[in-house]
Amino acid sequence: MKNRMPNDNTKTANLVNYRDPTLIGLGASIVLTTLVIIGSRNLEHFDSALFGYLIASIVAFGAIFFRYALWLQRPATRAYFSRGLKLFFQRKKFVRNTIDATKTVGINMLAQKFIFERAKTRWLMHFLIMWGCILSAAITFPLVWGWIHFKLESETGYRAYVFGFPMQSMDVHSVMAFFTFKALNFTALMVLAGCAIAIHRRLKDRGAIAVQQFLLDFVPHLLLIAICVSGLMLTASSTYFGGYMYSFIALSHQAIVIMTLFFLPFGKLFHIVQRPASIGVELYQQRAKEMEQAKCQRCGVEFASVMWLGDLKSVVEKVGFDYTMENGEKLQDYCPRCKRVMRGLAYSVLMDRPDKVFHGSRADNE
Ligand code: HEM
Ligand code: HEM
């Protein structure tokens, strides 16, 4: 084998281009700002008390696009992403692809079956956190962006307006009004319960303890708990304590939400936008099985699709590795079993040359 290490570190570093992600991020922020102006009817229905939330959400939105575009520059991610899109839009298979992708969204994104298979409590933990956060976001962001506002129409009747268009009215004492105006308290309880299960596991499970890190595995929970507790304190203040310390608690809630929004693109919570890309990976794997299969150069067994092998070789080359062997073939052209056998044989030859045994990397490079 010629050289197994990236032969030129700058080659990998040079692949990163910050200009396009920056432009994409700025573009996303501009689009959101425009939608805020349109949706709030020229800021007529925008609540100026929510200005801090607005600015933070616009910046975070752009930052998420920036980080996503940067992530897509990684050769492997890019290969899966562009190939996934091409496979999806194949004209002949478009309907079948749409059905398969919808199934993946339902089973893996919404119901999260793959977490259920790990453990039921982990599934419950994630279900509560994910749906608690999604519902909270669905309530708060449209309010912050002025896309939804409520108008008092009679002494006890409210009408909701979405993007300036009138919707159904409701009585302030109705069950619907109770759930509409109190919904955040229920979602806060969902998220708190989910975080409690997660933290309990992280304090007890030896496997988790061995690998977890404070910033990566605890900070997201602490932020979510702080948001929920400060939100519930707002309700407690207005309902039971005549508004005692309300503005201070509201400011704390805002500060923690803003911190979390800024943390979103750079911490563990980025998986919220990163993970759904696995729909493309799943489609890739499903379609790859139906395509022409590559045969191992040594034993002739079919072990992967020709498409996957081609993509793998180009990704490996882009990250600066060269797996060309002495016979001119690429190591990737061999099945996993033969690779192990070949490695074993190479080591057995080295055993006869004691001067090379403890210098594996030198021997590999020769
Ligand atoms: C609003 C959306 C979401 C939120 C707030 C969220 C939040 C979290 C948090 C806080 C954790 C860490 C749990 C721990 O400490 O063990 C986690 C883990 C995880 N998340 Fe999410 N997530 C969301 C969406 C998603 C989506 C869409 C997927 C993928 C389809 C996903 C996949 C995962 C997986 C696989 C884990 C590891 C779970 C385990 O086995 O313990 N998440 N998520
Ligand atoms: C996990 C996510 C969140 C939870 C569980 C949550 C929870 C709460 C709760 C329980 C309240 C009190 C509601 C009431 O008085 O009935 C509240 C208020 C509020 N939340 Fe959140 N929240 C979350 C995220 C957000 C986000 C992302 C934003 C902004 C983008 C936001 C903006 C607000 C605002 C503006 C208020 C009203 C505060 C005021 O009166 O000044 N929240 N939240």
Side-chain angles (χ1 to χ4, degrees):
M1 200 177 302
K2 278 183 186 163
N3 186 5
R4 293 182 50 235
M5 300 304 288
N7 43 18
D8 178 6
N9 286 336
T10 53
K11 192 174 173 182
T12 329
N14 285 343
L15 291 172
V16 182
N17 148 19
Y18 287 98
R19 211 200 72 184
D20 295 349
T22 308
L23 292 177
I24 290 171
L26 283 174
S29 293
I30 292 169
V31 169
L32 180 58
T33 310
T34 315
L35 287 174
V36 168
I37 294 170
I38 298 171
S40 62
R41 300 285 167 112
N42 228 355
L43 301 186
E44 197 186 325
H45 307 302
F46 172 68
D47 182 348
S48 55
L50 306 178
F51 188 69
Y53 285 113
L54 174 69
I55 298 298
S57 58
I58 289 173
V59 173
F61 193 69
I64 287 170
F65 272 80
F66 167 82
R67 175 75 212 282
Y68 203 87
L70 212 58
W71 177 61
L72 282 187
Q73 282 183 17
R74 291 188 187 178
T77 319
R78 194 170 196 83
Y80 268 125
F81 194 82
S82 56
R83 185 71 78 181
L85 281 182
K86 265 189 216 147
L87 288 174
F88 184 78
F89 287 110
Q90 273 174 320
R91 224 181 299 156
K92 282 184 196 156
K93 293 188 179 164
F94 185 70
V95 176
R96 196 152 72 92
N97 288 342
T98 313
I99 296 170
D100 285 351
T102 314
K103 268 190 211 156
T104 311
V105 170
I107 296 171
N108 283 349
M109 299 288 125
L110 305 179
Q112 311 240 306
K113 190 170 162 246
F114 67 103
I115 303 184
F116 192 81
E117 280 157 10
R118 290 179 196 171
K120 287 186 188 93
T121 44
R122 277 166 91 160
W123 174 84
L124 180 67
M125 168 275 290
H126 198 268
F127 184 87
L128 291 168
I129 297 179
M130 183 175 109
W131 284 104
C133 286
I134 289 178
L135 292 173
S136 308
I139 297 165
T140 50
F141 284 111
L143 285 171
V144 165
W145 295 335
W147 293 355
I148 293 183
H149 70 278
F150 295 92
K151 246 189 201 162
L152 200 59
E153 286 199 329
S154 61
E155 252 181 35
T156 58
Y158 274 101
R159 186 177 293 278
Y161 288 77
V162 177
F163 256 67
F165 297 106
M167 297 285 136
Q168 201 189 336
S169 71
M170 57 186 156
D171 191 276
V172 76
H173 301 300
S174 64
V175 177
M176 195 174 152
F178 176 79
F179 282 107
T180 306
F181 295 115
K182 297 287 168 206
L184 278 175
N185 296 290
F186 299 112
T187 57
L189 292 176
M190 279 173 77
V191 176
L192 278 178
C195 290
I197 300 174
I199 290 183
H200 181 263
R201 184 178 81 86
R202 294 205 164 275
L203 294 178
K204 296 274 170 202
D205 185 309
R206 286 186 180 189
I209 291 170
V211 289
Q212 67 202 7
Q213 293 167 24
F214 183 73
L215 188 66
L216 199 68
D217 300 305
F218 283 95
V219 169
H221 293 300
L222 298 181
L223 286 169
L224 290 176
I225 291 171
I227 292 178
C228 297
V229 170
S230 56
L232 290 172
M233 280 167 75
L234 281 172
T235 306
S237 163
S238 58
T239 317
Y240 305 111
F241 301 107
Y244 178 68
M245 300 270 280
Y246 190 92
S247 41
F248 173 76
I249 305 167
L251 209 62
S252 310
H253 187 68
Q254 182 165 340
I256 305 160
V257 166
I258 291 174
M259 268 194 265
T260 312
L261 288 177
F262 288 162
F263 182 63
L264 258 181
F266 308 104
K268 183 173 194 165
L269 292 176
F270 187 60
H271 80 275
I272 299 170
V273 279
Q274 211 170 23
R275 277 281 183 160
S278 63
I279 300 168
V281 178
E282 193 121 328
L283 189 71
Y284 186 111
Q285 285 164 353
Q286 283 167 359
R287 294 293 165 268
K289 280 184 205 146
E290 300 157 7
M291 293 180 177
E292 188 195 344
Q293 299 296 302
K295 287 194 175 124
C296 172
Q297 296 289 330
R298 188 168 172 273
C299 69
V301 74
E302 290 183 347
F303 68 100
S305 73
V306 172
M307 173 185 75
W308 181 81
L309 208 57
D311 286 344
L312 176 68
K313 283 179 191 166
S314 98
V315 167
V316 164
E317 196 181 307
K318 278 186 194 139
V319 293
F321 285 89
D322 182 1
Y323 283 99
T324 311
M325 308 191 36
E326 273 146 15
N327 60 7
E329 309 265 355
K330 298 268 183 199
L331 185 66
Q332 292 93 337
D333 288 318
Y334 294 84
C335 71
R337 185 180 161 275
C338 284
K339 271 187 213 150
R340 285 196 296 275
V341 172
M342 283 152 60
R343 183 172 284 269
L345 289 173
Y347 284 150
S348 72
V349 170
L350 284 178
M351 291 302 284
D352 300 333
R353 298 168 65 187
D355 56 317
K356 304 278 178 180
V357 169
F358 297 109
H359 303 286
S361 58
R362 216 181 72 202
D364 277 341
N365 285 333
E366 281 173 5

